[in-house]
Amino acid sequence: GIQVEQSPPDLILQEGANSTLRCNFSDSVNNLQWFHQNPWGQLINLFYIPSGTKQNGRLSATTVATERYSLLYISSSQTTDSGVYFCAVLRYSSASKIIFGSGTRLSIRP
Amino acid sequence: GAVVSQHPSRVICKSGTSVKIECRSLDFQATTMFWYRQFPKQSLMLMATSNEGSKATYEQGVEKDKFLINHASLTLSTLTVTSAHPEDSSFYICSARDSRTGKVPEQFFGPGTRLTVL
């Protein structure tokens, strides 16, 4: 099946810093989503981005489907950005289930 | 974005009892619902997928008699952990999407249920 790899696995930054999280996938996909799991466990939808670039405030994402990767950019980090960031991909098939990467654990220090 | 609720958020039960967890889509039709289990500091593990009105499809290694899933309506799915044991203690998360043709297949997640079996 399709493999999803995220890097780096862990990232510690000072408040105000910028960061780039990467998601590589091993096969073509029909859908890609980025999520933030907060310390209470809730997964928050950040982007639905099968291709192209989107921006939402301090966050932006780019997916280059032909090269099988996606990037999540966080600018001017805040302590509330801490948590785990997951990317998940969907490939249309009889199963049609999204496959999660292993996540990037981000810690923002005040 | 769409909202998925989950109840209860936390439950503690004795070994041998059954626990039911509800998952509701509040503002969209959830033609497909998913149940995940997450262990500490790990990614989400898919347990089963259900389409409204159909039997759930379980992932390999997931006991269908232990984890009963019902998806009787377009807004409600339930997961019942039967005869729970301490090893069933975990964080359970439901998810939903509208899989109909023409709909954006974005998936939304509930806030999770932390189950502790004593």
Side-chain angles (χ1 to χ4, degrees):
Chain A
I2 192 166
Q3 304 296 315
V4 182
E5 295 182 355
Q6 290 185 244
S7 60
D10 296 279
L11 189 57
I12 301 173
L13 298 172
Q14 287 296 128
E15 199 168 22
N18 302 327
S19 59
T20 301
L21 282 57
R22 187 177 180 100
C23 173
N24 291 335
F25 40 97
S26 60
D27 206 341
S28 58
V29 299
N30 301 102
N31 174 18
L32 187 144
Q33 291 184 244
W34 281 97
F35 300 93
H36 174 213
Q37 187 170 35
N38 67 21
W40 297 272
Q42 170 79 65
L43 270 87
I44 299 163
N45 288 41
L46 297 177
F47 295 102
Y48 170 83
I49 186 165
S51 63
T53 297
K54 290 186 177 179
Q55 179 156 8
N56 184 3
R58 295 182 295 104
L59 274 61
S60 63
T62 295
T63 296
V64 184
T66 53
E67 296 186 22
R68 299 178 185 170
Y69 73 89
S70 182
L71 301 173
L72 177 68
Y73 305 96
I74 305 174
S75 64
S76 303
S77 300
Q78 300 175 0
T79 55
T80 51
D81 294 331
S82 296
V84 183
Y85 290 80
F86 289 105
C87 93
V89 302
L90 171 67
R91 183 175 168 82
Y92 288 153
S93 67
S94 58
S96 287
K97 55 192 179 186
I98 64 173
I99 307 299
F100 277 85
S102 54
T104 292
R105 185 172 299 274
L106 178 64
S107 298
I108 305 298
R109 301 285 169 82
Chain B
V3 179
V4 177
S5 71
Q6 201 171 328
H7 177 80
S9 58
R10 186 181 296 268
V11 58
I12 301 172
C13 69
K14 292 183 179 179
S15 187
T17 61
S18 294
V19 174
K20 180 184 281 189
I21 303 170
E22 288 190 353
C23 176
R24 294 181 185 272
S25 60
L26 299 186
D27 51 4
F28 69 103
Q29 294 188 358
T31 57
T32 310
M33 284 187 160
F34 307 85
W35 287 94
Y36 295 83
R37 185 172 179 176
Q38 188 179 32
F39 293 102
K41 299 196 174 184
Q42 293 189 22
S43 188
L44 280 72
M45 181 187 78
L46 180 65
M47 300 173 65
T49 302
S50 70
N51 291 297
E52 185 262 337
S54 302
K55 287 186 178 180
T57 300
Y58 290 81
E59 294 299 300
Q60 191 171 10
V62 178
E63 299 176 59
K64 52 184 71 174
D65 294 331
K66 158 71 81 174
F67 300 101
L68 301 180
I69 291 170
N70 183 281
H71 187 176
S73 78
L74 285 172
T75 59
L76 174 65
S77 176
T78 60
L79 166 68
T80 301
V81 183
T82 62
S83 187
H85 291 285
E87 59 265 28
D88 299 323
S89 299
S90 192
F91 191 55
Y92 292 89
I93 308 173
C94 76
S95 179
R97 74 170 183 237
D98 188 336
S99 299
R100 291 175 294 171
T101 302
K103 293 291 185 181
V104 173
E106 187 172 359
Q107 199 160 316
F108 298 91
F109 286 79
T113 296
R114 191 162 302 283
L115 170 64
T116 302
V117 184
L118 303 177

